[in-house]
Amino acid sequence: MRTIVIALLSIGCIVLLFFTLQAASNLTASGFSETSLPAAAADDEDGPRLVVITQELDTPFWLKFKKGADAAAASNGARLEMWGTYSSDRIEFLKQIEIAIASKVDGIIVQGLDTPEFTKLTKIKAAGSGIPVITVANDVPMQESLRRTYVGSDHFEAGMLMARQLVEQMGTSGKVVLMTSDEEEDYERQRMKGILHVLKPYPDIETFQVTSGGSRDAIVKAIDNVLNSQPTAKAFIAVSADRSGVIIQQIEKRSRVESYYIYSFDDNPESMMLLKQNKLDALIMQSPDKMGELSVKLMMDWLQGKTVPLHPDGYFTDIRVLTAEDVQ
């Protein structure tokens, strides 16, 4: 009985071997080779997946940023997605970052937000998952966020440029109102430091910092209060850029806006229109397209080990002062 079982098993093995060899022969005849297998690194051919996250989708600034980022992604073999929110919805913005981390993207390029919630996401969750983070446009302290680097304007330098323009146009005496938000972020602090650094040698220039919430009603109330308490103020600097239009509207309800020197740190469409109307005296022009291009390139350099570590102080893009005379 045992001999019969062994014989049957042997015959079965021989038959199985025959069909296996026959199948291999057929595959060879049909031109099959290892090169016709799906590439093991098919995902690599698509490139690393990068996500840009901003609070201000579809604004001219971020559309220019996207143009530069898309060009850099194409030339560096990356897959780039643009995520974000509208009207500075911080809760949704933070949720987008959390989704990106959970999705295990290869890199996150994000508009910095100087809050504990943002720090927790970048320092604990992203870093803990091995996902590099580069901040753009607005920076956050590196030691608190563990971001790899920053790409954008040097806001301290921007503050100094603005203050020098003020002195050139207003002179070396007068009251200057500095309008900021009550949620003063790192970029606002840097602008303030730059302004005050330049104005410090001028004892006859007196500065007043006025803070307010982000709603229009809060900004209007703060401006009206300072116009009442400082009727001899000669200049306003919108350190938080979204305040320049409201400043001008409130001044125009009382007097001629041309009597004041008014400055902004944003070159958005409203600010550009006010500049052309001679209602703004100057603003700071930034380079969002270069920010997009450089941030993607640096992220790819990091992922490919070409530039490690990235410069902790950041990579600054060009800024310049644009005056009302320049656009006439």
Side-chain angles (χ1 to χ4, degrees), residues 12-282:
C13 289
I14 291 170
V15 172
L16 180 61
L17 177 61
F18 170 79
F19 284 111
T20 300
L21 292 174
Q22 184 67 36
S25 176
N26 292 339
L27 284 171
T28 302
S30 65
F32 175 86
S33 68
E34 288 185 1
T35 56
S36 54
L37 281 168
D43 289 342
D44 292 342
E45 289 183 355
D46 293 332
R49 183 186 177 199
L50 310 182
V51 174
V52 176
I53 308 175
T54 170
Q55 297 183 69
E56 303 161 328
L57 274 177
D58 287 347
T59 62
F61 180 98
W62 288 101
L63 291 174
K64 292 176 184 177
F65 181 100
K66 184 178 186 301
K67 183 178 180 181
D70 283 340
S75 62
N76 286 275
R79 292 176 293 159
L80 185 72
E81 300 171 29
M82 196 87 175
W83 296 4
T85 61
Y86 301 89
S87 303
S88 299
D89 184 340
R90 289 190 173 187
I91 294 175
E92 183 61 27
F93 172 69
L94 294 169
K95 187 184 297 182
Q96 295 277 340
I97 300 173
E98 197 156 11
I99 292 171
I101 295 169
S103 301
K104 301 186 184 302
V105 299
D106 294 293
I108 297 174
I109 299 169
V110 62
Q111 182 180 5
L113 179 63
D114 196 6
T115 66
E117 294 82 6
F118 180 90
T119 298
K120 180 180 178 181
L121 285 173
T122 55
K123 186 175 184 177
I124 299 175
K125 292 195 174 182
S129 299
I131 301 173
V133 174
I134 291 178
T135 54
V136 289
N138 304 339
D139 199 12
V140 294
M142 180 181 182
Q143 64 275 16
E144 296 179 12
S145 67
L146 293 185
R147 53 94 169 137
R148 298 301 178 183
T149 193
Y150 161 73
V151 178
S153 302
D154 181 343
H155 293 291
F156 179 79
E157 176 66 22
M160 291 197 296
L161 286 175
M162 188 62 82
R164 292 185 188 121
Q165 185 67 30
L166 167 74
V167 172
E168 179 181 328
Q169 293 182 304
M170 184 188 76
T172 58
S173 65
K175 293 181 178 181
V176 179
V177 177
L178 308 174
M179 296 291 302
T180 63
S181 70
D182 57 3
E183 296 179 342
E184 190 176 279
E185 295 189 41
D186 183 73
Y187 75 92
E188 285 190 77
R189 291 194 294 272
Q190 294 303 317
R191 289 173 178 175
M192 285 289 294
K193 288 179 182 177
I195 293 168
L196 297 176
H197 177 76
V198 169
L199 298 184
K200 187 176 180 180
Y202 302 101
D204 293 329
I205 294 181
E206 191 175 1
T207 60
F208 300 87
Q209 182 176 354
V210 177
T211 63
S212 74
S215 70
R216 179 179 175 80
D217 288 345
I219 298 170
V220 166
K221 183 178 179 180
I223 294 168
D224 286 343
N225 287 342
V226 76
L227 287 172
N228 291 333
S229 63
Q230 303 296 333
T232 58
K234 293 176 66 175
F236 286 80
I237 300 179
V239 181
S240 182
D242 57 358
R243 281 146 174 76
S244 57
V246 186
I247 291 171
I248 289 170
Q249 290 172 10
Q250 294 310 111
I251 289 175
E252 286 183 321
K253 292 178 180 179
R254 300 175 178 232
S255 61
R256 296 178 64 252
V257 73
E258 290 79 10
S259 303
Y260 296 85
Y261 299 95
I262 305 174
Y263 305 91
S264 173
F265 281 91
D266 199 357
D267 56 347
N268 61 35
E270 181 189 31
S271 296
M272 290 299 296
M273 180 187 69
L274 293 171
L275 192 70
K276 291 176 181 178
Q277 294 172 347
N278 277 312
K279 294 180 179 182
L280 267 181
D281 291 274

